[in-house]
Amino acid sequence: MDSTIPAAITSAARAFGSSPALVEPGAERLDYEQLLAEVRRVARALIAAGLQPGDRLALWAPNSAQWVLAALGASYAGVTLVPVNTRFTGVEALDVIRRSGARGLVVVGPFLGTDRLAALRAAAAGSPLAGPDVQLPAGTPLPGHDVQLPAGTPLPGLIVQLPGGWPEFLAGGDAIDDREADARAAAVEPDAVADILFTSGTTGRSKGVMSAHRQSLAVAAAWAGIAGLTPTTATWWSTRSSTASASRPASWPAWSAAPPSCRRRCSTCRARGR
């Protein structure tokens, strides 16, 4: 088995070529060769934006092909992914971004009545938030979680808002040669941190759990084996929660980004242990 996510993506492109790799209902559809090309484009854009190996990229968005590409592109550039729970308020998200030391942020635009970037900026400025669940100014502890943010908490230097800011972000990497991105990917070590998943914080303040590339790949490969997946199987890739596995080897069968409306843990998912 490939020992890093970039190696798995490259290996899958060679092995599966024109087979479907990523499908977003009603939108993007990529085969494995196209997936590798798009992941490389994201890595080039991250390099152009100044992110270095080991830097953290926070990702606060619901299911989409761009979520997948941002996550895999970060790994390809040697950057550590920090998924942020889509149910978090601005204060909670900013706390995760601050504690993880994220230098970049990919965030969805107004979605289901919530402007997450506006809430994040309000939290950073210490203004009252218009969040979906709670309304707290920065500097106010979250109930039962001992979370307090100083007023004026800075946001990451790189902010990409989906979907409108995605093309401009990718265009920023045009000056970076593919070989530089490939060199970044080749330099990733199996024990390098692939992602930091923050726990839900149900019984206390959420904690960042670090997973190496080899660990993320091994867990995903074990799950695929238990589920009996084959190259002709299509699987839903849910990014509803930050506690979901963030890294999937590209040697898996086709990914399918669940539609944004599929956000609640319904009885079918509960029965299947999702």
Side-chain angles (χ1 to χ4, degrees), residues 63-80:
N63 306 328
S64 71
Q66 292 166 338
W67 199 107
V68 178
L69 295 175
L72 297 180
S75 291
Y76 206 86
V79 173
T80 299

Side-chain angles (χ1 to χ4, degrees), residues 1 21 90 96 98 164 176 204 224 253 270:
M1 184 183 73
V96 167
R98 182 181 65 85
I176 304 297
R270 287 199 302 272

Side-chain angles (χ1 to χ4, degrees), residues 51-248:
L51 269 67
Q52 301 295 321
D55 284 345
R56 283 79 187 268
L57 177 72
L59 181 50
W60 195 19
N63 306 328
S64 71
Q66 292 166 338
W67 199 107
V68 178
L69 295 175
L72 297 180
S75 291
Y76 206 86
V79 173
T80 299
L81 178 68
V82 183
V84 181
N85 195 319
T86 56
R87 298 182 185 274
F88 277 1
T89 63
V91 169
E92 293 169 314
L94 185 60
D95 178 53
V96 167
I97 291 168
R98 182 181 65 85
R99 285 197 284 142
S100 68
R103 292 192 59 213
L105 168 67
V106 176
V107 58
V108 71
F111 176 74
L112 294 180
T114 300
D115 188 332
R116 286 169 174 77
L117 183 54
L120 201 58
R121 285 172 171 159
S127 302
L129 293 181
D133 299 314
V134 297
Q135 297 184 5
L136 293 171
T140 302
L142 292 177
H145 295 274
D146 192 29
V147 176
Q148 185 168 340
L149 298 178
T153 299
L155 294 178
L158 169 67
I159 298 179
V160 181
Q161 190 168 23
L162 302 177
W166 189 250
E168 182 181 356
F169 164 65
L170 292 179
D174 288 348
I176 304 297
D177 192 274
D178 280 347
R179 290 172 294 184
E180 184 172 350
D182 291 342
R184 280 281 194 99
V188 175
E189 296 288 340
D191 286 324
V193 178
D195 48 66
I196 302 175
L197 305 181
F198 277 77
T199 60
S200 62
T202 304
T203 59
R205 192 178 189 185
S206 63
K207 300 173 179 63
V209 180
M210 297 182 290
S211 296
H213 280 255
R214 60 175 178 79
Q215 293 171 313
S216 293
L217 289 172
V219 169
W223 187 91
I226 292 170
L229 302 186
T230 71
T232 60
T233 306
T235 61
W236 291 107
W237 190 13
S238 174
T239 59
R240 174 180 54 82
S241 170
S242 65
T243 57
S245 179
S247 303
R248 301 288 191 265

